[in-house]
Amino acid sequence: VIDENLEEMESEILYASNLTNLHEYTDTDDKKIKEIILPQLIKDFNNFIKNHTLYDQISYADENGQEIVKLRFNAKTKTIDLVPKNQLQNIKDSYYFSETIKLKEGKIFDSLISSDTENHNSDAFNQNTNDPYHTTIDTAHFTINSSIPIINKDGQNKGIITASVLSYRIFNDTEDDSTKNGATTSTAYSDTFDTKNEKLYIVNQDGYYIQHPDKNKEWGFLFNSDNKIQIDMPLSIQK
């Protein structure tokens, strides 16, 4: 399920990177022409979020890391908001920008971003429950970014576009899928397996939880916590 969601993200960000207005914008250095094209690019990005409801945000930053346009989905009003120019950031020092800007055309960089590890785009991690861009504190902690470089007609890298998804959207489907699988398992192994008590855990290679019934135990490696499966279930995980 996770692989399918990530593959869908990569396919759609690749599509977005080929938008005609985006390339017309990056193919010229004429500021007047850019001003004419920019509203059309904003409209394209608006349609991208509207037609691909997985995403919470899409942005374009130029080769210097300066955000040129950014749109966000407002969960409270169910609208797509254009971030004002004076709130756009320079993301040159962010690791996802530095990793993406050096890629070849068509290559994609996926990254997990946290408010504790990444200062840029901090507006996406406001943990105030009144923040219209997030529904709860739990779901506001992390986003998954899918970024791709934009290469102009002269072969120059003219920046990156990034589409962002709140991480819980990627993993929620696995919970639904486990329930379906559990129903099948209980039929086959009803003598030894009780699906009423089934819990799904996803851990990384070090044993930190990516998904846990207790959301406070997730993403411990970002907080230097001891919430690891080998501590909670030493006998089971050793086996």
Side-chain angles (χ1 to χ4, degrees):
V1 171
I2 295 170
D3 280 346
E4 288 175 358
N5 283 334
L6 291 176
E7 287 174 5
E8 180 181 353
M9 285 181 65
E10 292 178 349
S11 174
E12 290 168 353
I13 196 68
L14 182 61
Y15 163 80
S17 71
N18 289 306
L19 289 169
T20 300
N21 287 312
L22 180 61
H23 282 277
E24 287 184 355
Y25 185 92
T26 56
D27 282 344
T28 182
D29 293 323
D30 190 314
K31 292 183 179 181
K32 291 184 178 180
I33 295 178
K34 284 181 178 292
E35 288 178 1
I36 295 173
I37 298 173
L38 188 58
Q40 296 302 315
L41 179 58
I42 292 172
K43 184 177 180 180
D44 287 342
F45 278 10
N46 186 290
N47 288 334
F48 180 86
I49 296 181
K50 183 178 180 180
N51 295 324
H52 302 87
T53 56
L54 184 67
Y55 300 97
D56 299 281
Q57 180 173 289
I58 185 170
S59 64
Y60 164 66
D62 66 20
E63 64 272 27
N64 298 311
Q66 180 58 47
E67 291 178 333
I68 302 301
V69 57
K70 178 163 68 176
L71 284 82
R72 301 185 300 185
F73 177 73
N74 187 316
K76 183 171 291 186
T77 63
K78 306 299 182 183
T79 59
I80 301 169
D81 298 342
L82 175 66
V83 175
K85 188 174 181 179
N86 63 358
Q87 294 182 23
L88 296 175
Q89 300 173 315
N90 189 296
I91 60 171
K92 185 177 182 178
D93 294 332
S94 66
Y95 86 93
Y96 70 90
F97 178 84
S98 60
E99 291 296 324
T100 306
I101 197 69
K102 61 188 180 184
L103 295 178
K104 295 181 179 179
E105 186 173 10
K107 297 297 182 180
I108 299 166
F109 182 73
D110 292 327
S111 55
L112 176 69
I113 306 296
S114 164
S115 57
D116 284 13
T117 61
E118 181 63 67
N119 291 325
H120 297 280
N121 282 339
S122 59
D123 56 343
F125 309 103
N126 185 342
Q127 295 183 26
N128 183 344
T129 54
N130 292 321
D131 179 8
Y133 297 98
H134 302 293
T135 54
T136 68
I137 291 178
D138 287 338
T139 61
H141 282 169
F142 312 99
T143 69
I144 295 175
N145 282 358
S146 192
S147 307
I148 190 169
I150 303 301
I151 311 300
N152 71 0
K153 62 182 179 182
D154 297 321
Q156 300 172 321
N157 194 322
K158 302 300 289 185
I160 73 170
I161 60 171
T162 301
S164 304
V165 178
L166 289 173
S167 60
Y168 81 96
R169 295 186 183 215
I170 297 293
F171 294 103
N172 270 3
D173 287 344
T174 63
E175 293 177 345
D176 295 338
D177 198 55
S178 71
T179 303
K180 297 174 185 177
N181 290 339
T184 302
T185 304
S186 66
T187 301
Y189 303 102
S190 57
D191 292 338
T192 59
F193 192 84
D194 182 6
T195 57
K196 292 180 180 179
N197 296 319
E198 179 185 4
K199 295 179 180 179
L200 174 68
Y201 305 90
I202 299 176
V203 299
N204 71 0
Q205 67 271 21
D206 298 316
Y208 287 105
Y209 296 107
I210 303 301
Q211 182 167 309
H212 190 285
D214 180 357
K215 299 304 178 183
N216 293 320
K217 290 195 172 189
E218 294 178 351
W219 313 107
F221 60 92
L222 295 172
F223 303 116
N224 295 318
S225 77
D226 293 327
N227 289 318
K228 303 171 74 172
I229 196 168
Q230 55 264 52
I231 293 176
D232 293 342
M233 293 178 274
L235 297 180
S236 298
I237 198 63
Q238 183 178 10
K239 182 178 179 179

